Amino acid sequence: MKQIVLKNVTKKFTTKTLGSITAVNNFSLEIEEGECFSFLGPSGCGKTTTLRMVAGFEDLTEGEIHLGGKAVSVKDKNIYVPPEERGLGMVFQAFAVWPHMNVFDNVAFPLKVQKMNKSDIKRLTQIALKHTNLNGLESVYPSDLSGGEQQRIALARAIVTSPKVLLLDEPLSNLDPKLRESMRFEIKELQKKYNFTIIFVTHDQSEAMALSDRMLVMDMGNIIQIDTPRNMYNKPINKFVHKFLGQSNFIRVVIKDGKAYPKGDLSQEIPCDVDEGAKPEMLLAVRPNAININHTRGYRTKIEKRIILTDNVEYFVKVGDQMLEVETPHRNEFKEGEPCCLEFIHSLWYEDDGIDLDAERNKRQII
Ligand code: ADP
Ligand code: MG
């Protein structure tokens, strides 16, 4: 069953500095029951606004939202179901726990609002505390707990009513990297126990890749691509998604007689497949870990610079006059200045449209 459906959802805001902006633009999406679905995109691209519309905290400018087959927001028909009747659990980026309540009372709060009887409140709260590894801390106040534990309280409170849908808006962003990884795992485990449908919002691509069944990448209110993490990483639809999902090299390439050369230097061909329909100028996209650096095969160049990282070694090499980054697990194979050859194991072609939306993106991030 489709658990979450958005149809042509648009949200416009009037801002003092930018005038009217379209925070979410004609957004359509269907999420299956039990799916963990991530929204990934840079700050200001409309992730939180979309989530707030699903939750019922934000009015729609256009479009409709359905949860579990029921219309909860339909602009045309004036349908609006308030957040508390949407059957959702939510966790936001800031540790939204009440400092004047102990752990038990924080977690039990949504059940008290529902006027549940005392013994059921105790039973369900204990289950949520157990599932989030907070048992034993019932009478402790949040100020005596770590950031990770505080975020667990928020998580326990979100799941205590056993909602069908869990909305998580950058819940791990304020945690240190180690804790973030273990919390990812815990969220996955919780999902298995409760079979939640999850929307997980993040600007961190590794988080989205680790957690999601499917994900989407957004940019300035628009959905750019929807796919599984693996497909998205291997076949990004455009340059923006390629860059967003990991490290990228983009080589400006000239195509002549079906062969590819680095722009500005036709002295040596780049060994790669060229599509028949390729434009005279293209971008060849290749990730640093998808270049095989070796002594004999491929494009001949030399090591400009070498940086030894913890697990890998990073080389800087030139193709024509363009610098590329290569990352390989082999240590000390090449020295700075030494000749080497490059094979592009997995590369993709993009049209070089020359459009750069970074300035517009940056404006949105400031607000
Ligand atoms: P994200 O969560 O992806 O960082 P948001 O959904 O918070 O992005 O914001 C998307 C855009 O909408 C941004 O340009 C932001 O400044 C704008 N925006 C969000 N909320 C409001 C609001 N209440 N009033 C005016 N503009 C808003
Ligand atoms: Mg946000």
Side-chain angles (χ1 to χ4, degrees):
M1 190 189 66
K2 310 236 177 300
Q3 184 67 47
I4 305 171
V5 176
L6 286 83
K7 284 189 199 160
N8 307 103
V9 172
T10 292
K11 177 70 187 184
K12 295 185 176 162
F13 286 114
T14 309
T15 62
K16 275 192 193 136
T17 41
L18 297 177
S20 171
I21 66 149
T22 305
V24 178
N25 187 25
N26 202 17
F27 194 106
S28 295
L29 177 68
E30 293 185 342
I31 301 176
E32 294 291 333
E33 188 177 8
E35 201 174 9
C36 182
F37 194 101
S38 293
F39 291 180
L40 180 65
S43 171
C45 73
K47 304 181 296 295
T48 294
T49 305
T50 308
L51 211 64
R52 286 174 54 82
M53 288 191 285
V54 173
F57 293 129
E58 201 79 69
D59 187 24
L60 281 58
T61 308
E62 277 169 45
E64 37 191 278
I65 298 176
H66 301 252
L67 294 175
K70 184 180 170 213
V72 291
S73 291
V74 182
K75 191 64 194 171
D76 284 350
K77 298 185 187 154
N78 268 329
I79 295 175
Y80 167 75
V81 174
E84 62 276 15
E85 290 169 28
R86 293 192 178 202
L88 307 165
M90 281 167 270
V91 180
F92 295 103
Q93 181 175 358
F95 307 139
V97 292
W98 290 294
H100 60 286
M101 290 185 196
N102 66 22
V103 171
F104 184 93
D105 289 339
N106 259 288
V107 176
F109 187 81
L111 302 174
K112 286 183 183 159
V113 171
Q114 289 184 359
K115 305 216 165 22
M116 197 175 270
N117 70 53
K118 268 204 167 139
S119 64
D120 282 342
I121 290 179
K122 185 152 190 220
R123 184 175 56 83
L124 294 175
T125 304
Q126 290 298 353
I127 293 172
L129 290 170
K130 184 167 157 264
H131 284 158
T132 48
N133 296 323
L134 286 169
N135 34 353
L137 297 174
E138 287 82 350
S139 56
V140 177
Y141 282 82
S143 56
D144 291 329
L145 295 172
S146 69
E149 285 163 332
Q150 290 190 31
Q151 202 55 329
R152 275 211 199 97
I153 302 175
L155 199 55
R157 195 177 52 200
I159 64 171
V160 74
T161 55
S162 296
K164 284 223 162 329
V165 173
L166 207 52
L167 304 178
L168 306 174
D169 191 354
E170 310 221 14
L172 312 180
S173 306
N174 288 340
L175 306 179
D176 65 60
K178 268 238 158 75
L179 196 56
R180 216 185 288 170
E181 265 185 43
S182 68
M183 285 285 285
R184 270 183 210 164
F185 180 72
E186 283 173 33
I187 289 172
K188 253 331 219 196
E189 289 297 301
L190 272 181
Q191 192 197 8
K192 280 188 210 146
K193 282 184 195 134
Y194 285 78
N195 194 32
F196 294 126
T197 305
I198 296 182
I199 302 183
F200 187 91
V201 166
T202 179
H203 62 268
D204 178 332
Q205 82 279 0
S206 50
E207 211 162 87
M209 311 266 282
L211 271 169
S212 329
D213 298 308
R214 284 189 305 150
M215 60 199 240
L216 64 78
V217 170
M218 295 179 69
D219 186 25
M220 290 193 286
N222 295 294
I223 297 176
I224 309 298
Q225 187 169 1
I226 302 179
D227 215 325
T228 60
R230 180 186 285 257
N231 286 347
M232 190 93 92
Y233 182 81
N234 287 332
K235 226 168 175 343
I237 196 170
N238 64 14
K239 197 179 151 194
F240 171 76
V241 178
H242 200 286
K243 259 205 306 207
F244 206 79
L245 290 186
Q247 288 175 294
S248 306
N249 293 296
F250 295 103
I251 312 170
R252 286 185 307 282
V253 164
V254 174
I255 311 289
K256 228 178 144 216
D257 304 327
K259 291 178 176 169
Y261 301 90
K263 192 178 177 184
D265 177 5
L266 302 187
S267 64
Q268 192 186 170
E269 184 192 341
I270 300 176
C272 60
D273 293 329
V274 177
D275 286 345
E276 269 191 16
K279 297 254 165 75
E281 288 199 13
M282 299 285 287
L283 288 177
L284 186 62
V286 58
R287 300 200 186 278
N289 61 10
I291 300 176
N292 173 21
I293 190 160
N294 68 86
H295 290 280
T296 50
R297 296 178 314 276
Y299 188 91
R300 295 182 307 282
T301 183
K302 69 174 168 59
I303 309 292
E304 302 286 335
K305 193 173 159 63
R306 184 181 77 177
I307 298 172
I308 311 278
L309 306 170
T310 37
D311 297 322
N312 293 334
V313 47
E314 191 175 35
Y315 297 110
F316 290 86
V317 291
K318 274 187 179 168
V319 169
D321 62 356
Q322 303 173 59
M323 192 73 90
L324 304 191
E325 219 180 298
V326 181
E327 202 170 317
T328 84
H330 304 289
R331 282 173 182 270
N332 296 329
E333 240 178 75
F334 293 89
K335 298 188 182 65
E336 284 184 7
E338 195 178 338
C340 63
C341 294
L342 308 176
E343 280 184 317
F344 302 120
I345 305 162
H346 182 80
S347 56
L348 291 165
W349 292 99
Y350 297 109
E351 284 185 25
D352 191 1
D353 54 15
I355 298 169
D356 188 357
L357 295 171
D358 283 352
E360 183 61 32
R361 279 186 203 108
N362 289 341
K363 262 197 244 164
R364 290 198 173 201
Q365 291 182 16
I366 301 165
I367 305 165

